[in-house]
């Protein structure tokens, strides 16, 4: 008998701490040493729904929506749905007062099916097709972000009733992961775009839009973008008499994927945005526009945890150890290097391992330098935190293995949001011709 069995109260002092920088706030160890999320043991979810499985904490999503509303009470917060576009998640964010951004007809269809008011939907995305623009116009989305002269031409041909537009610009700010999509501010193409929109009675330019990049943790970049964009808004007002009322600074808000990663501080961002608006509007004598921002991963990344089952533990040629798990194709992580055993309390020795999936090719690893129990066994369940954003969207059917389900947890209960994709689902895409007369029968 161990000391933990004799004195259960010691367990709380021996359980490794789950880093709050990457795990949902409601993640705990229960009395049996199992990791729980939303009051549900993660190992129970793995047993009920199989692995791999994506788990999303409803409370964490809602709390992050409320944090944005608290820090930016006068701004419009638009959830960038590409991070995780599932109907129920769209309903959660809408109930918390957020609008929803979509980037394709598929995402638009999910948002509409979830009951999102079309007027609270923003259609964005690079290189939108004629069909996508037509779908957005026909359902009456609140705004369409225009990023090319071709899109302006298509919209002019499609629009009958007035359509509200945001012109995507590139403010010329170099940050890590810069996309540089949009019309460069002050360029000839920018001026041409404004002129073409202004000449179309059914196209209403209401503001400017930018997306600086991804994983931005320095709020000063957003302040500089605001100052440059207000300058252009004042120029448009002077040249065309168009008073733009919306300034959309996009998303790209950094979250921590590992302990110690830099994150975007919302309080600092709020202060910098206010200062930039005051300075830019005063300098150009321009009325203060409504600020819009589009967090995606900052809303859902930390709310997600992905569960895998250990298939084998092997030695490597270099003398190390490798853990083989199921479901590598269920979505590639972004910068993850952590995993935790969730079905028991590990009290013994640990060792540094790498993690690979069963469909891993060419030595590609999902994670390296992971500390796991030295007595890890096949059948045990591992959890990788901070997989709520893009992890599901990047899932593949590599080797004809169906994509995993999504299960929501809340108040001690589970609810399946998406079922597991089956082989039958994949076979439905096969287009087969009827057998030719005289052809040999299939074996």
């Amino acid at each position: 008998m161990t000391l933990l069995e004799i004195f259960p109260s010691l367990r709380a002092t021996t359980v490794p701490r789950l880093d709050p920088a990457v795990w949902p706030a409601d993640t705990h160890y229960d009395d049996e040493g199992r990791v729980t999320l939303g009051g549900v043991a993660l190992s129970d979810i793995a047993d009920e729904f199989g692995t791999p499985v994506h788990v999303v904490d409803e409370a964490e999503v809602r709390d992050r929506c409320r944090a944005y509303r608290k820090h930016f009470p006068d701004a419009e917060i638009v959830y960038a749905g590409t991070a995780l576009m599932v109907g129920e998640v769209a309903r959660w964010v809408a109930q918390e007062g957020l609008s929803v951004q979509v980037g394709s007809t598929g995402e638009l269809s999910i948002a509409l099916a979830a009951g999102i008011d079309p007027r609270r939907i923003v259609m964005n995305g690079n290189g939108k097709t004629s069909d996508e623009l037509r779908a957005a116009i026909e359902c009456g989305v609140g705004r369409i972000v225009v990023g090319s002269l071709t899109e302006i031409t298509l919209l002019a041909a499609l629009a009958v009733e007035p359509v509200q537009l945001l012109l995507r610009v590139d403010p010329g700010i170099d940050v890590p992961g810069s996309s540089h999509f949009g019309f460069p501010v002050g360029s000839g193409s920018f001026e041409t775009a404004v002129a073409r929109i202004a000449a179309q009675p059914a196209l209403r330019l209401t503001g400017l839009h930018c997306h600086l990049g991804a994983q931005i943790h320095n709020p000063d970049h957003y302040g500089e973008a605001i100052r440059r964009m207000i300058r252009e808004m004042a120029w448009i007002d002077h040249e065309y008499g168009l008073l733009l009322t919306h300034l959309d600074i996009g998303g790209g808000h950094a979250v921590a994927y590992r302990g110690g990663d830099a994150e975007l501080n919302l309080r600092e961002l709020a202060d910098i945005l206010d200062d930039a608006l005051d300075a830019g509007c005063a300098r150009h004598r321009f009325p203060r526009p409504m600020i819009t921002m589009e967090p995606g991963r900052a809303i859902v990344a930390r709310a997600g945890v992905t569960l895998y089952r250990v298939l084998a533990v092997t030695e490597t040629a270099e003398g190390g150890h490798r853990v083989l798990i199921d479901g590598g194709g269920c979505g590639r992580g972004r910068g993850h290097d952590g995993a935790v055993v969730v079905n028991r309390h590990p009290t013994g020795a640990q060792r540094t391992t790498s993690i690979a999936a069963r469909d891993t090719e060419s030595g590609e690893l999902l994670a390296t330098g992971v500390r796991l129990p030295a007595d890890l066994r096949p059948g045990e369940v591992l959890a990788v935190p901070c997989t709520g954003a893009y992890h599901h969207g990047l899932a593949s059917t590599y080797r004809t293995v169906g994509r995993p389900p999504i299960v929501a947890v809340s108040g001690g209960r589970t609810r399946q949001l998406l079922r597991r994709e089956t082989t039958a689902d994949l076979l439905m895409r096969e287009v087969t011709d009827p057998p030719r007369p005289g052809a040999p029968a299939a074996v």
Side-chain angles (χ1 to χ4, degrees):
M1 180 172 289
T2 66
L3 283 175
L4 287 176
E5 292 172 322
I6 300 173
F7 302 106
S9 61
L10 292 177
R11 188 180 300 279
T13 65
T14 60
V15 173
R17 180 172 176 263
L18 294 169
D19 190 346
V22 296
W23 289 89
D26 194 22
T27 312
H28 307 284
Y29 283 94
D30 66 10
D31 292 339
E32 299 178 32
R34 303 175 302 173
V35 178
T36 69
L37 176 59
V40 182
L42 292 177
S43 56
D44 286 348
I45 296 176
D47 290 341
E48 179 178 358
F49 297 98
T51 55
V53 55
H54 297 309
V55 184
V56 59
D57 181 13
E58 178 181 348
E60 184 79 13
V61 173
R62 291 184 180 275
D63 286 346
R64 293 193 169 275
C65 292
R66 293 167 187 169
Y68 272 92
R69 296 299 323 139
K70 172 186 175 182
H71 287 94
F72 308 98
D74 299 322
E76 179 188 26
I77 311 300
V78 181
Y79 169 62
T82 300
L84 180 62
M85 180 48 77
V86 179
E88 189 65 13
V89 175
R91 278 189 284 269
W92 296 343
V93 300
Q95 289 167 0
E96 296 300 331
L98 274 62
S99 300
V100 177
Q101 181 205 93
V102 299
S104 68
T105 304
E107 291 182 357
L108 175 61
S109 298
I110 291 174
L112 293 174
I116 307 302
D117 185 342
R119 294 171 296 179
R120 295 177 60 189
I121 297 176
V122 178
M123 169 64 84
N124 201 349
N126 301 316
K128 292 177 285 296
T129 67
S130 178
D131 288 342
E132 288 173 330
L133 294 172
R134 181 181 292 107
I137 291 173
E138 289 178 351
C139 76
V141 300
R143 273 156 290 159
I144 299 175
V145 180
V146 177
S148 70
L149 296 177
T150 299
E151 290 181 0
I152 296 174
T153 301
L154 291 173
L155 286 167
L158 294 169
V160 177
E161 300 295 328
V163 178
Q164 306 293 322
L165 304 182
L166 297 176
L167 189 64
R168 181 165 179 170
V169 301
D170 175 8
I173 299 172
D174 289 321
V175 298
S178 296
S179 62
H180 291 299
F181 282 105
F183 300 94
V185 293
S187 67
S189 61
F190 170 76
E191 296 178 4
T192 299
V194 175
R196 290 191 183 182
I197 295 174
Q200 297 294 328
L203 304 185
R204 304 288 174 83
L205 184 61
T206 61
L208 299 184
H209 175 285
C210 75
H211 181 72
L212 300 183
Q215 285 292 81
I216 300 171
H217 57 82
N218 184 351
D220 289 334
H221 295 311
Y222 294 100
E224 181 59 27
I226 285 176
R227 287 187 286 270
R228 296 185 187 187
M229 292 168 73
I230 287 179
R231 180 188 64 204
E232 301 306 316
M233 295 169 78
W235 175 84
I236 292 171
D237 184 29
H238 180 267
E239 293 293 322
Y240 294 93
L242 295 175
L243 182 61
L244 307 188
T245 56
H246 289 74
L247 198 166
D248 191 328
I249 59 173
H253 300 175
V255 302
Y257 283 111
R258 294 167 291 194
D261 283 355
E263 291 189 283
L264 183 64
N265 185 295
L266 296 187
R267 181 177 299 173
E268 292 179 2
L269 178 62
D271 291 340
I272 285 175
L273 295 189
D274 275 342
D275 291 344
L277 282 169
D278 288 343
C281 291
R283 179 175 181 181
H284 299 286
R285 299 182 179 179
F286 190 79
R288 190 181 180 106
M290 171 178 281
I291 287 290
T292 299
M293 62 186 66
E294 302 168 350
R297 92 176 67 219
I299 298 292
V300 296
R302 197 174 302 170
V305 173
T306 302
L307 306 181
Y308 304 94
R309 201 169 291 277
V310 176
L311 300 179
V313 181
T314 63
E315 291 189 23
T316 66
E318 297 78 17
H321 289 84
R322 181 171 298 164
V323 176
L324 185 67
I325 60 171
D326 55 5
C330 74
R332 302 298 180 184
R334 296 193 169 193
H336 306 282
D337 67 351
V340 171
V341 178
V342 300
N343 55 280
R344 65 182 170 104
H345 168 232
T347 57
Q350 292 188 327
R351 63 186 173 200
T352 301
T353 66
S354 58
I355 299 177
R358 64 174 180 166
D359 58 3
T360 298
E361 303 285 358
S362 304
E364 181 186 5
L365 300 174
L366 297 183
T368 59
V370 181
R371 298 289 291 173
L372 290 172
D375 61 348
L376 186 70
R377 300 179 297 272
E380 298 200 86
V381 181
L382 299 183
V384 177
C386 211
T387 56
Y390 303 106
H391 209 65
H392 171 73
L394 292 174
S396 73
T397 56
Y398 183 61
R399 288 188 173 173
T400 318
V401 176
R403 290 167 292 187
I406 296 182
V407 176
V409 293
S410 178
R413 296 185 178 183
T414 61
R415 184 154 52 100
Q416 188 170 221
L417 306 185
L418 289 182
R419 65 171 174 80
R420 187 178 302 280
E421 191 172 33
T422 66
T423 302
D425 294 327
L426 300 177
L427 286 174
M428 287 179 65
R429 300 186 64 215
E430 294 278 350
V431 179
T432 57
D433 295 327
R436 298 190 304 273
V443 178

